[in-house]
Amino acid sequence: MNLYSRKKSWLLILSLLAAAIVAFFVLYTNIIVNRFAERENQQIKTWADAVQTQAALISYTDEFFGGFEKQEDLRVDLLASAYRRFLAASPEENVSIYLDIITNNISIPVVITDNEGNIIISLNLPENQREKKSFDNEMQSFYSKYDPIKMDNGMWLYYSESLIYTELEGVLKDMFFTFMDDVIYNAVGSPVIITDSTMQKVIAFGNIDSVEMHNPSFVTEQIRKMDEDNLPIKVAYLDKGHVFIHFRTSDLLVNVRFYGYLQILLVAVFVIVAYLFLSGVRRSEQNQVWAGMAKETAHQLGTPLTSLIGWIELMKSEEHPFIGTTEMENDVNRLTMIAERFSKIGSVPTLEDNDAVKAVSETMNYLKKRFSSGKIDFDIQLPDRSLVIPLNKALFSWVLENLTKNAIDAMPEGGRITIEMTEGDNFVIVDVSDNGKGIHRNMFKQIFKPGYTTKKRGWGLGLSLAKRIIEVYHKGKIFVKSSTIGRGTTFRIMLKK
């Protein structure tokens, strides 16, 4: 008991020390992770605020440009109307006001062509059109916004927005797309999806797997998660209405949040695996030590037993044999069986079909002669028929002997030992009961561990070997069925049929 208690105490101390070390490192790591998460959150918030500010600026610029566009349309309409009135005026009509409007035009592009598309007159053209002699497809596309004016002699007058307006529109588009690129490829690594005004069509995305983005359900789920975390940012887009920017925290931050839990899980798995491995190694070493000791014991017993058998045979051949020769022969046979038991420890024993009822009866009859006294009563309840099962009689007898000895030790003032055998569907059951001291429930499993003993003298190997014989060799079960302090204990053995 002292050896087992010391081992258990040291195991508890080392476990607590290991837990404290792990807790310290996990706590320290979590503090660092939380600081990183806070900084990451702050960066994302700063980025989102900057996007909001830029979005507001773009919306304001778009609103301003919208007003400028209306003014531009009025100027173009005024110029077109002046041309129409001038061309349709009679000789007596005063057209000076129309001429003033036409001649004061220094920004609106104007092209007059003949009926074959040759350019006759051009004003305020973009640089890439100034050298052209004919009205080609590219120019038709450029001047397609407004209907041309048909003049006399089959000539046509084309016009468009001013060059200032066109250049400003290009700058605004460049600014918008630069803003979109900055949002998509943001430095904080935040996943972003930009949709149209319906929030259905994806215009652009960033920091998300492009393969996954081909999956509509994935896109819908991502937008839902983003909108749960942050309200989408609405941005005006020139003459195309507006778009929505959906975003969430970066995947790195999400992973970091679960890093502490993952670390604890990995440490726990490592500790469990290491414990199981070391326990397996320790058990293997113990098994080898026990097997070596058992085999050496059997070997040492073999020589004197052979000699004793010879001397008994010599005594039996005397004219007047010693009266105790028969009992001495029984004891020598018993010692031979014990040596056989020890020789089988550590090797795979042979299981043969044996009558379990006969095996229990023979073992208990021998034990009754050796341990029966006025203090101990034996009550053996066996079936009245044979139960043949795969059994190694020598080792099974050892188990019964160990349980019987433990029962006797638990009843120093005397008592009753009951052996009851019953038959189940798949098992033959043997219950060994006593009315001794009893065992605390929290020790039901501990008593089968090597080194556990309540005796002042003993190695604490009896029940450990019994468990190995029944569960490892016979593939059965042995356990404490029940126990009450001061009233007794019942061990149950279950052997496969």
Side-chain angles (χ1 to χ4, degrees), residues 281-293:
V281 171
R282 180 173 56 85
R283 283 195 299 269
S284 178
E285 291 176 347
Q286 290 175 346
N287 291 338
Q288 291 178 5
V289 171
W290 296 342
M293 291 177 62

Side-chain angles (χ1 to χ4, degrees), residues 357-381:
V357 176
K358 183 178 179 181
V360 174
S361 178
E362 291 177 351
T363 301
M364 296 311 300
N365 286 335
Y366 174 83
L367 294 175
K368 283 171 63 177
K369 292 179 181 179
R370 295 297 178 271
F371 300 114
S372 181
S373 65
K375 293 183 178 181
I376 304 296
D377 293 328
F378 285 86
D379 181 12
I380 302 173
Q381 303 173 17

Side-chain angles (χ1 to χ4, degrees), residues 32-43:
I32 295 176
V33 167
N34 288 334
R35 288 178 179 174
F36 172 79
E38 290 176 3
R39 187 179 68 177
E40 187 81 3
N41 269 326
Q42 186 61 40
Q43 288 179 343

Side-chain angles (χ1 to χ4, degrees), residues 396-446:
F396 178 62
S397 176
W398 196 358
V399 173
L400 290 177
E401 185 175 331
N402 280 331
L403 293 179
T404 302
K405 288 180 178 179
N406 285 341
I408 293 173
D409 291 338
M411 300 182 296
E413 303 299 326
R416 175 182 291 272
I417 296 176
T418 302
I419 309 296
E420 182 180 4
M421 177 181 284
T422 56
E423 182 182 10
D425 293 336
N426 300 310
F427 293 90
V428 170
I429 300 171
V430 180
D431 288 338
V432 180
S433 304
D434 63 65
N435 53 3
K437 299 176 181 178
I439 303 171
H440 288 283
R441 178 170 293 276
N442 60 354
M443 302 303 295
F444 280 8
K445 293 183 179 180
Q446 306 294 344

